[in-house]
Structure formats: structure tokens, C-alpha cells
Amino acid sequence: MKLKKLKVAVVTALAVQGGLMAQVAVAQDTPALEEIVITSTRRETSVQDTPLAVTALSEESLRVQNIENTQDLTANVPNVLIYGGGRGTTSGQFRMRGIPRVGTYVDGVWQVSQVGLLQRQFVELERVEVLRGPQGTLVGRDSTGGSLMIYTKKPAEDFGGRLLIQAGSFDRRDVSGSVDIPIGDTLRTKWTIASYDKDGYVESVTTGQKHGELENETVRGDIMWTPTDKFSARLIMQQDQQLQTNAGVQTLISPLVAQRFGWQVGIAEAHDIASLAAGGRGFSNQSQVAGFPGGQLDDYQNTKALTSPDQIKLDSTNLTLEYEVNETVSLKYIYADTQIDDEQWADFAGAQFNFFTNYDAATREFSSHEFQVNFDFDNFSAVVGYFDWDQETMSRGTEFSHSDWSFPEGWGGGLGGSIGGPPIGKTINAGVPQTLSYDDVLNSPTCAATPADYGFDFSSSDPNLNPSIAGGNGQFPSINAALDPNTVAGWPRPCTAFNSWVPLFATVVGFNAASPAHDRGARAEVAGDALFGEITYFVNDAFDVTVGFRRHDQQNKNWNTLVQDAVAAGQVEARPLIWDKGFANPEGAVQVAVDPASFRPSDFSKTTWKFATSYDINDDVMVYASYTEGFNSGGISTVADSLGINQIPFSPETIENTEFGLRGDFLDGTLRVNATYFMTDWIDIQAGFSTIDRGTGDPITEVFTANASDGEASGVELELTYFVNDRLQLGANLGFLDTKYVNLKPTAQLTENTEFGGAPDETYAVYADYNWNVFEGDLSARLSGNYFGNFWRSSLPNFRQDAYGEFSSPAGDIWRWNARAVYQPNNADWQLTAFVNNITEETFLNSGFMDSIWQFDFSGVDAPREWGLGLEMRF
């Protein structure tokens, strides 16, 4: 941990506490902070008495902080960052303390996939509990970074309902309604329908479409049966449908990115040259980068021709049974059945061209059973449980690449760019069909330039002259003494190399047609079980000790599927041949028989431990120390290159976390100070790698997972809440984080001592709440600000801008300010709400990455200033 930051954090906490101590007399007449009860430990405990870094947010707290989905938790909780992946925000990255794989649970049920979780609105929320640090004992699965526990309201005992209507900028129109209908004394039900809909905010000047649109629809039934005081059964059935388009913009285009590593011309520059020759707009900073000084696009514009949205459908059924045997023993059983069907488009260029586009469809099915026994005696409490699950994923991935080019004879058999390319009229906004000729590239000044013209010498051992030495990590050209930097032949990959690349990847390899490599399917089955437990022994009234364990056993089965055979037999749809057009039946398109020869089984077992102890200094102040472990199982990556499909296994990774904390209420319960210091070891990190084509030796657009290195993280977290008086409440959540990769493996595409992806050094959240009695009612207002420092969107340094000698700021280093006001008349069953998010219109890049030969950094971006009005009615 950086000592300066640690010193500032400690001094801040002490200064706040010391300064407020002088106001004890005033505080005597102010309301005390309420006790916050959580159930993350499988039993009800107070946050202030739990030796765990957990932040609990009630329904009211979520509302006043404008937290509408999981992505909004970013920076509201210390050292928590939730943002999109390389493809956009449909599949997100949840990172706590810089560590990924955060397990998400809804009413105790693990969510099988993070697809759609970033922007899914959860209805009828009761509270959210955010657990930072590895949770390898009580939950275990995919919770190396932490866990997000979401709890919904149970059906009420009395008849009643709620209707919420909300409208605002970007043509926002939200409607949600729920009704509680009791049936007799023992049966209660709650029925909910919700629709969230708003338009996009990034305009394509090619199609006129507004990207960033979002549609969520939810139908939910919740039935609660309590035939006795000791037994209850709760059945929840829910269906969610989500549609969204990625709001992407170009932030940097640099031909030097490819040239530094031996490419005389890269993909972006080749398209720029050929497009301008064809009368198009080209592909440069001036024509593509949003808000570029003197450029053609505004801050929220792009040239994207792809129009298809990502679509997600979720069906889930959960059953929870609880039985209180007696005052000391209780039983609990949770059953879950979930299916997720999704289609995702990844247009990595986001332009009027088709550089490279993934279109993937998948069906995921998950079922589980969990049994818990809770014991609560005078001197100890314990929970013992058993978890069993089955998971199946059927997927199919297709790709389109370079379909804008026309190929003369000898280039892939003379196929033209219209095969698999964007429909005529959608490829350019200047009125000229975008058919590109590589002859224009070969005849350009770029292809006459030598390495020496750029100050390069790829035959030199001097890293200042041969940049592939300093930044290539083994995937770029090595030294070749025969290369003459003063001639065109001095390029390891001259323009004629790209001359072969374009037709190879457009037709021969088969990005734009059926082939085993680029219309491929897979089936993965995971089955496992876990035995877990945790016991807390109360040594005396002030001191306790907790020991927890989890034994996890898992069996993985992986196959490739026989897609081409199934298509030929008419059993499934052929891949779409038109770019921007998906399967007519995505769910059916993935149902393909497996290839027995591709079967790859693997087993995984792991026992993880937790040790914690806490001591009550007095009734209001507790300190604790803990050691916790977490894990993520191994698996197999499936990638494709010019030689076909390649399966690459990777090993498990583990997390070891040591933590010290203080939980204290001061000034007669008006000031709450929660402080945590942690040290984390991340072992056998699973990281993304660029794929090197086995046939050509070139880096290609496929990314696979492998074990890369170890990592270290440490930091401080402070959560401060103060009731100044009965009208004014102040608060601050502060996170300080230091991360680095260590012990790199020989083939790792990481750099020693570089920081993790998604790991800003600082996250701050500050707020002030004030209440008035006006207009015969209550008016409350809240002003809040969130800050997160610079962070890299990619975990892989080779996908970061600085890896290529370019300066383009990473995401973050911004304050986002929000305001909200709520008015409720006295004795009324309705209230009005007004809010403004991102008041100062800060730009937040929420996804994306950069790669060498592409020469550009395509990024997702959050919305600019957004406002809304809401009416809530209860009956």
C-alpha cells in the first residue's frame, strides 16, 4: 500500500472523528444511526458486529443514491468497480479490490452468468449487501473478488400495491407495478410487472440510429406459504427480457501502433487509404474519433453501421423452504432452476466498415439444490450446508471480417466484398458504396515508406530503434539482421503481407462463410457439489473466534459441436451470410450434436478456509482480524486460427486475503466509522492472451484464457456516516488500492509490477442529505459525488494504449455528481421524485480495449447528463 495514501486515509478518519467529538453536546439531541441487519453469513447479524468487509444498502438507500442497476454501485462502495468487457456492457466485469469474478446472488441463488447483469433492473428490492474480498467458504462459486447479495421483498400480509411511473431524458419511460394479494391467513402472494425503456445517446452518422438504448421487461410472481409459525415456503417465478445496443465511440486511431511492431500498414490505415480513394470519409482521428478537435464527429457520435441489438431472455424458478426445529436449530433448503438465452454482437471497429465482427448465440441452463442447518447456542453459533449443481452451456459463434474489400483474381477466387458485407447503402454516409481496393493501398505513399522514415530499425538490438523488443512479449517480430531499415524490405511485415492478410481472413479462412473455424459451436457441462460450514465460538461477552471451510468438487466436460454436419443435414440453421443479420431461431441454432473426438474432461477439487476473530472494545466499538481464501476453477479455452480449432486448458487460481477492521459508533450513535485494511495474494491468475496463429505466426483477433502470473493487492477502506442533526446527514466512502502483477510465467502477456485492470488507486463517494417540512409534507434532497481514479479497461497490458507508445488516457479520473429530491405530502400515499445524474456531463469510458494491428481503441461510453421525474403511488 502506498504510505502516503494510507497516511491520508488514517488522518482523514481521525480528523473527522476528532472534529466531531467537539460537537457531542449538539449530538445529544440528534437521532442515532439505525442498526443494519444482514444475512450474508447465513444468519441474521448486525453489520457492526460482523468481522467482514460488507456494505449493506436498503431499498431507501438505493433509491436516494440513484442506484438503479448493478453498474451504478461503482464507487458508491469503496474499491468496487463494475464496467463492461471488451465487447461492451452486455457482459460486464465486476471487480472488487481489483479482483474479478464477483459472485452475484438473488435471494440466495447464484446467477449463472453476468450477461445482462450490469443494466438489469431488479424489481421489488429489499436490500443489497456488497461483500468485498474472497468469499470461498459460505458461497464459493466464482467469488474470488467478492459477492453481491440481492434480496427482494416478501409478499405482504395485507392487500396493497405500488405503481411507479418515471419519465425523463432520452425519451425515458419506465412503468412498474406490484400488488400484494393475501389468500387466507397462511398464503400470501405478490405479482409484479415492470417495463424500463429509454433511447440511446450515441448517434451513428451512418445510419441515424441512437446506440445505448435499453429495454427491460420483467414479469414476476412471488408466493409465500406459512401454514405454521415454524415453517414457510416461498416460490418465485420470474421472466426477464432485455435488449440493448452498445454505446461505443472511437477514442484513438494511430497508424504508429502497428508500425512500431513491424507492420508497414495496419487495418485502420489500410481502410483509411482505400476509403478516401473510393470517395468515402476514411478512417482517421478526424473522421472517426468522437469530439476530436477539428474533426467531423461530436462527443457522442460514431459511424457505426451495425444496427442489431444484443438480446437476453432469462427464465428462473426458485423455491425456498425454512423450518425452525426449535429455538436453537433451524433448517433451510433452496432450489433454483434458470435458463438464459442470449445473442451478442461485437463490432470491434464500430464503423461504417466491417473490420471484424463477432456474432454469438448461447443457451445456459443451471439447476441447484442447497441445504443449510443453523445452530444457535449460548456460547456458539454455526451453519453447516451442502450445495449441489448442474450447469450446461450450448454456444455457437460466427465471425465476419474484411468484407468491404473487392478481391481480384487470385485473391480468394475473385469473391467480391458484397459477400458477407454490409448491405449497399449502409456502408458509407457520403453516398458512395464502400467497396475497397487494395491496389489503392499498395500505390499509396505509406507503402513506399521505409522503417527509417519512422526512426525504426527492426534489425537492431537497441529497443529505442526496434520497439518490438520492448513491448512485444514474444508475439511480435524478432530481430532479423537481414532487414535494411532504409528500404521497404526492412519491414518484417510490409504492405504485401497485409495484401495476403485481407483475402486470407475474408475468404480462405472463412470468416464470411461456413467453416469449422469461424462457424463453430461448443458444449460445456459442469457438475459439482460442495460441503461448507462456519462456526463462531463466543469466548466471552467481548471476544469470539470464527472458523469456516468449504470443500468443493467439480467435474468439467467440454466438446466442440459438429456444426457443419448439422447444417448440411438440415438440422440447424446455416450461419447468416449477411453481416448485421442474426439467426432466425438463436436458441435452436446452438442445439448441435457434439464431436466425440473433441471431448476434454477435467476435474477440480479445492478446500478453502476462513479464520476470523473479533473483540468488542466497548458496546459501540469492535475490532477484528481475518484470513479468508477464495478460488476459481480451471477450464478450457477454445480458439480458432488458420489451422482450425484449438483447445487450451488452464489451471485454477486462488486468493488469500488478510484483513483488519474497525466497526464503531461514536457520539451517542450519531457518527459511524467503519475502517478496513487488507492484503491480498492472487495466485495463478487467469488472464486473456492474444492468440498467435499457429500457421502464420501472426497475432489474430482471437483471445484465450491461460495462467499468466501472480498478483498482489493491498488497500484501505473507510465508510463514514454522521447525523449532524435531525435534518442533515453527511457521509463518505473512501477506497485506496495498490495492485501489481508479480511472478510472471514465461509466456505471459503481462508486464511485471503493472497494475491490475479495473483497479483505480482511489474511489470516493460523498453525500449530503437534508430534509424540510414544507407544503404540508416532507421534502428531502440529496447531493452526491462519486470519484474513481484512472484505471485500465483491459487486464492485459498489451491491450492498453501505453503498450504501443501512445498516450490516450485510461478510463476514470472523474467526479460524477448526482442530485435527487423527493416530496411526500403528510398522510398521503404518493410521492414525487426529480433527479439529475452526471450533472457536469463527465465522460466515462466503460468498456473496450486496444490491439496492435487494428491501430484503434474502440470504447463504450456512459450517458451524458440525464434527468428524470417520477411518481410513486401506494394503495
Side-chain angles (χ1 to χ4, degrees):
M1 180 66 197
K2 298 176 181 176
L3 293 179
K4 183 177 179 181
K5 293 178 182 176
L6 179 58
K7 181 179 178 182
V8 169
V10 173
V11 170
T12 299
L14 294 176
V16 171
Q17 180 180 340
L20 293 175
M21 280 293 190
Q23 303 181 39
V24 173
V26 176
Q28 300 293 334
D29 297 327
T30 60
L33 290 161
E34 65 180 351
E35 180 184 32
I36 300 176
V37 176
I38 61 172
T39 57
S40 303
T41 58
R42 306 298 199 197
R43 57 187 184 274
E44 291 188 353
T45 61
S46 168
V47 167
Q48 299 305 102
D49 295 329
T50 305
L52 180 69
V54 56
T55 299
L57 302 167
S58 66
E59 178 196 15
E60 181 63 21
S61 178
L62 293 166
R63 183 179 302 173
V64 299
Q65 293 183 66
N66 291 331
I67 296 175
E68 298 181 333
N69 51 53
T70 53
Q71 188 177 359
D72 291 337
L73 290 169
T74 291
N76 277 290
V77 179
N79 288 327
V80 170
L81 187 67
I82 302 174
Y83 64 107
R87 295 182 171 208
T89 56
T90 299
S91 293
Q93 301 191 53
F94 291 51
R95 292 184 180 267
M96 296 186 185
R97 301 173 174 175
I99 309 294
R101 283 175 282 278
V102 173
T104 302
Y105 297 78
V106 179
D107 293 318
V109 176
W110 181 65
Q111 302 302 286
V112 64
S113 172
Q114 291 184 346
V115 172
L117 270 179
L118 258 70
Q119 299 194 52
R120 184 193 307 164
Q121 273 86 353
F122 292 97
V123 297
E124 291 301 298
L125 277 182
E126 180 179 88
R127 70 185 185 282
V128 172
E129 298 172 10
V130 185
L131 287 66
R132 303 182 297 279
Q135 308 297 317
T137 53
L138 291 183
V139 288
R141 286 215 63 185
D142 297 311
S143 298
T144 50
S147 294
L148 180 64
M149 303 288 191
I150 299 168
Y151 300 94
T152 61
K153 297 177 184 176
K154 295 179 180 179
E157 295 181 356
D158 300 319
F159 177 82
R162 181 186 69 92
L163 177 65
L164 175 62
I165 302 172
Q166 196 162 252
S169 51
F170 311 121
D171 199 18
R172 180 172 184 159
R173 46 210 182 275
D174 301 341
V175 179
S176 65
S178 64
V179 59
D180 291 288
I181 304 177
I183 303 174
D185 295 333
T186 61
L187 187 62
R188 310 194 303 268
T189 67
K190 182 188 291 288
W191 307 95
T192 304
I193 298 178
S195 175
Y196 305 91
D197 195 347
K198 65 179 179 180
D199 294 345
Y201 48 88
V202 174
E203 178 189 14
S204 167
V205 298
T206 301
T207 66
Q209 181 175 350
K210 294 288 187 69
H211 295 275
E213 63 184 307
L214 179 65
E215 296 179 12
N216 279 335
E217 294 182 355
T218 299
V219 178
R220 174 184 169 95
D222 191 345
I223 302 173
M224 188 86 177
W225 183 46
T226 54
T228 70
D229 293 339
K230 294 181 177 294
F231 176 79
S232 68
R234 186 184 184 190
L235 177 65
I236 302 173
M237 297 166 291
Q238 182 166 326
Q239 183 179 92
D240 293 275
Q241 296 192 57
Q242 185 173 325
L243 179 150
Q244 66 181 81
T245 56
N246 182 43
V249 295
Q250 289 287 354
T251 57
L252 171 69
I253 298 174
S254 174
L256 281 173
V257 167
Q259 292 160 354
R260 284 175 56 86
F261 295 104
W263 292 93
Q264 186 177 14
V265 64
I267 294 178
E269 189 173 17
H271 279 78
D272 184 55
I273 294 168
S275 173
L276 291 174
R281 68 183 300 132
F283 193 86
S284 65
N285 287 310
Q286 287 76 14
S287 67
Q288 303 290 327
V289 171
F292 190 81
Q296 302 173 23
L297 301 180
D298 293 337
D299 290 341
Y300 290 90
Q301 285 186 323
N302 63 26
T303 64
K304 189 174 183 177
L306 187 83
T307 61
S308 294
D310 295 343
Q311 299 187 69
I312 304 148
K313 180 181 178 182
L314 181 146
D315 287 284
S316 63
T317 301
N318 307 334
L319 173 65
T320 301
L321 307 178
E322 296 184 77
Y323 179 65
E324 184 180 335
V325 179
N326 51 46
E327 292 183 354
T328 59
V329 180
S330 61
L331 309 176
K332 191 173 186 177
Y333 165 73
I334 303 174
Y335 166 75
D337 183 84
T338 303
Q339 178 172 324
I340 300 178
D341 302 309
D342 65 274
E343 295 176 87
Q344 295 189 58
W345 289 88
D347 176 14
F348 290 106
Q352 69 271 32
F353 312 109
N354 168 29
F355 280 24
F356 186 84
T357 304
N358 283 113
Y359 168 59
D360 299 310
T363 293
R364 300 170 176 86
E365 297 180 356
F366 171 78
S367 63
S368 66
H369 305 269
E370 181 167 345
F371 303 87
Q372 300 173 23
V373 183
N374 280 273
F375 303 92
D376 191 2
F377 296 94
D378 291 338
N379 60 345
F380 78 90
S381 64
V383 58
V384 177
Y386 175 76
F387 181 64
D388 175 87
W389 81 94
D390 287 286
Q391 179 181 337
E392 177 183 288
T393 301
M394 298 288 293
S395 61
R396 187 170 171 188
T398 68
E399 293 159 327
F400 301 85
S401 180
H402 297 94
S403 53
D404 304 283
W405 298 87
S406 61
F407 307 135
E409 287 296 331
W411 287 17
L415 293 177
S418 61
I419 302 299
I424 297 298
K426 294 181 65 177
T427 55
I428 193 167
N429 71 322
V432 179
Q434 192 68 78
T435 300
L436 308 180
S437 171
Y438 201 77
D439 288 338
D440 293 323
V441 179
L442 295 174
N443 295 326
S444 70
T446 294
C447 291
T450 69
D453 292 332
Y454 298 95
F456 301 148
D457 181 358
F458 297 100
S459 66
S460 173
S461 60
D462 183 351
N464 294 320
L465 298 175
N466 187 350
S468 66
I469 297 174
N473 287 312
Q475 66 164 311
F476 295 109
S478 58
I479 297 173
N480 185 341
L483 298 177
D484 184 348
N486 296 301
T487 66
V488 170
W491 293 98
R493 296 185 178 92
C495 284
T496 52
F498 196 81
N499 183 9
S500 301
W501 173 286
V502 171
L504 172 69
F505 282 87
T507 57
V508 178
V509 173
F511 278 107
N512 305 324
S515 74
H518 299 290
D519 177 13
R520 63 182 185 268
R523 177 171 180 162
E525 295 181 0
V526 182
D529 56 19
L531 180 66
F532 62 88
E534 189 170 293
I535 181 170
T536 298
Y537 177 66
F538 305 102
V539 180
N540 53 45
D541 289 342
F543 179 51
D544 61 61
V545 178
T546 299
V547 177
F549 78 96
R550 189 181 191 94
R551 174 63 183 183
H552 176 104
D553 292 287
Q554 177 175 317
Q555 300 80 45
N556 302 319
K557 299 178 182 179
N558 294 270
W559 299 266
N560 299 325
T561 56
L562 298 169
V563 173
Q564 279 66 49
D565 292 350
V567 170
Q571 298 170 343
V572 296
E573 285 183 68
R575 65 158 290 166
L577 291 180
I578 303 298
W579 182 77
D580 200 12
K581 182 177 181 180
F583 292 113
N585 178 14
E587 184 177 351
V590 304
Q591 303 297 328
V592 181
V594 301
D595 177 5
S598 68
F599 177 57
R600 292 290 297 270
S602 62
D603 295 335
F604 169 72
S605 298
K606 182 71 175 179
T607 299
T608 46
W609 293 92
K610 171 183 177 179
F611 303 95
T613 182
S614 68
Y615 179 74
D616 294 334
I617 297 175
N618 54 46
D619 290 341
D620 297 315
V621 180
M622 179 268 283
V623 293
Y624 76 89
S626 68
Y627 169 81
T628 54
E629 296 178 340
F631 64 90
N632 186 57
S633 62
I636 296 176
S637 285
T638 301
V639 297
D641 58 16
S642 61
L643 298 184
I645 296 174
N646 188 21
Q647 291 183 325
I648 305 171
F650 54 92
S651 301
E653 63 181 15
T654 56
I655 294 284
E656 298 173 353
N657 183 74
T658 302
E659 192 167 290
F660 303 93
L662 176 147
R663 305 289 181 261
D665 290 344
F666 305 94
L667 303 181
D668 290 336
T670 62
L671 170 66
R672 178 163 293 166
V673 180
N674 290 348
T676 308
Y677 173 72
F678 63 89
M679 299 175 292
T680 303
D681 290 320
W682 188 6
I683 303 167
D684 287 331
I685 292 174
Q686 297 168 2
F689 280 61
S690 296
T691 299
I692 307 302
D693 190 287
R694 294 171 295 172
T696 66
D698 292 328
I700 59 175
T701 50
E702 295 277 339
V703 176
F704 68 96
T705 298
N707 301 102
S709 73
D710 299 332
E712 296 176 357
S714 60
V716 172
E717 296 159 349
L718 293 172
E719 298 176 276
L720 310 171
T721 307
Y722 177 54
F723 269 125
V724 179
N725 52 48
D726 60 354
R727 293 186 181 277
L728 178 62
Q729 179 180 340
L730 305 176
N733 294 333
L734 313 175
F736 304 90
L737 179 64
D738 189 28
T739 64
K740 61 182 178 180
Y741 295 114
V742 297
N743 304 328
L744 269 64
K745 299 185 184 301
T747 59
Q749 294 175 7
L750 300 175
T751 304
E752 190 88 15
N753 295 322
T754 55
E755 64 192 57
F756 302 165
D761 289 347
E762 301 96 10
T763 57
Y764 308 143
V766 296
Y767 68 87
D769 280 332
Y770 195 83
N771 295 277
W772 297 267
N773 297 120
V774 294
F775 307 119
E776 297 185 352
D778 291 325
L779 175 64
S780 63
R782 181 187 182 98
L783 177 66
S784 60
N786 301 93
Y787 172 82
F788 38 95
N790 282 330
F791 70 91
W792 296 109
R793 288 162 285 142
S794 173
S795 298
L796 189 64
N798 279 353
F799 284 166
R800 301 174 182 175
Q801 301 94 324
D802 65 341
Y804 308 107
E806 294 293 331
F807 178 78
S808 177
S809 295
D813 192 21
I814 60 172
W815 276 95
R816 291 198 293 188
W817 292 94
N818 304 325
R820 187 180 187 93
V822 179
Y823 172 71
Q824 181 168 358
N826 296 330
N827 302 317
D829 293 327
W830 60 270
Q831 67 179 30
L832 292 173
T833 302
F835 67 86
V836 182
N837 293 338
N838 195 8
I839 297 172
T840 57
E841 291 206 311
E842 298 294 333
T843 300
F844 172 44
L845 304 182
N846 60 29
S847 58
F849 64 97
M850 189 171 196
D851 197 10
S852 59
I853 190 175
W854 289 4
Q855 302 179 300
F856 62 82
D857 178 18
F858 183 64
S859 310
V861 62
D862 268 6
R865 183 186 301 119
E866 185 176 6
W867 60 268
L869 300 171
L871 171 64
E872 181 175 353
M873 295 177 287
R874 297 182 180 275
F875 56 89

